[in-house]
Amino acid sequence: NFRLMKKMLILLVTLCLFGCQSREERKISELIKDDMFKTLYDFESYEPIETSKADSAFTTIYKDSSITAKAIMILLAREEISKWLEDSQEHVKELEIWGDSYTAMARYKVDNTKEKLADIIRKSEIAQSTINMLKETIKNECENFESNFIGWSVKHKYRCKTKGGAYDIGETYYVFDPQLDKVLYTETDEVREGYEKIKSVIDEALK
């Protein structure tokens, strides 16, 4: 009798665990389906291929809004500096053209171009100083960052039609709340490319 009760108990626990797992999988499947309905161009052609097992999801420095905002500001500042560098190269060419001439027009062109170059140097120095300050702030925030459990994550692979009517395969990374009631955020391949740039800036600040 004891052995029989033990076997029945093990079977009951196994069935319970299987049932809980199935309910979780169904909830995840429904949440993904609802999200696909909102985001896909042709939802009628949507075909799920594979969904990974749910894994624990935690807050990270690479997704923290304050840290990532500063990383984005650094990226934007660097873009501006790059544009100013291109402009300065054009200004240097202007100096080479007008530098050997002593006409009033030439002197005006030279003086005006020098002022533009000086302005670019001034703006670049301010921008670089701001970048250094932001990097230091990122480093401090990362050192004080505490990772917390936020829910569950899965990778979902699927097939659907594009605007052109051809089938394409996509993959989306999902993060759900602990109760599996809603999608906290998603990541596609395109979004991940942007995150890689942000991640590189944060890693640079930590060195």
Side-chain angles (χ1 to χ4, degrees), residues 23-39:
R23 283 196 295 273
E24 289 175 356
E25 288 175 351
R26 284 198 295 270
K27 290 181 77 173
I28 288 173
S29 179
E30 286 301 316
L31 286 170
I32 291 175
K33 188 176 179 180
D34 289 343
D35 182 70
M36 290 292 168
F37 177 75
K38 297 173 186 175
T39 57

Side-chain angles (χ1 to χ4, degrees), residues 90-203:
E90 292 299 319
H91 296 327
V92 169
K93 289 179 182 179
E94 289 181 20
L95 286 178
E96 291 174 351
I97 294 171
W98 297 100
D100 293 333
S101 178
Y102 294 96
T103 64
M105 175 62 73
R107 298 323 307 162
Y108 169 78
K109 289 282 187 181
V110 168
D111 291 343
N112 186 256
T113 302
K114 284 182 177 179
E115 287 181 10
K116 290 179 180 178
L117 283 170
D119 185 55
I120 287 174
I121 292 172
R122 181 184 60 81
K123 290 190 296 185
S124 297
E125 288 176 345
I126 293 173
Q128 188 57 54
S129 177
T130 301
I131 287 173
N132 294 338
M133 180 187 67
L134 288 169
K135 286 171 68 175
E136 188 63 30
T137 305
I138 287 174
K139 183 179 179 180
N140 291 335
E141 289 188 13
C142 287
E143 288 175 350
N144 296 316
F145 183 84
E146 291 185 8
S147 182
N148 297 307
F149 174 75
I150 56 171
W152 309 97
S153 65
V154 300
K155 286 182 180 179
H156 178 64
K157 196 172 184 179
Y158 60 93
R159 182 186 294 107
C160 68
K161 286 184 180 180
T162 63
K163 288 184 179 181
Y167 273 97
D168 191 20
I169 292 177
E171 187 175 74
T172 302
Y173 175 77
Y174 282 91
V175 175
F176 310 101
D177 72 312
Q179 292 76 35
L180 293 175
D181 290 330
K182 62 182 179 180
V183 177
L184 296 181
Y185 64 85
T186 64
E187 282 182 25
T188 59
D189 292 337
E190 293 80 4
V191 172
R192 279 182 193 161
E193 289 179 8
Y195 275 128
E196 284 302 313
K197 293 181 180 179
I198 293 172
K199 182 178 182 298
S200 66
V201 171
I202 295 171
D203 288 339

Side-chain angles (χ1 to χ4, degrees), residues 1-26:
N1 289 338
F2 176 75
R3 288 182 179 178
L4 180 62
M5 289 180 62
K6 186 176 180 182
K7 287 181 180 180
M8 290 181 65
L9 180 62
I10 292 173
L11 179 61
L12 183 63
V13 171
T14 302
L15 289 173
C16 181
L17 289 174
F18 178 77
C20 291
Q21 184 182 19
S22 297
R23 283 196 295 273
E24 289 175 356
E25 288 175 351
R26 284 198 295 270

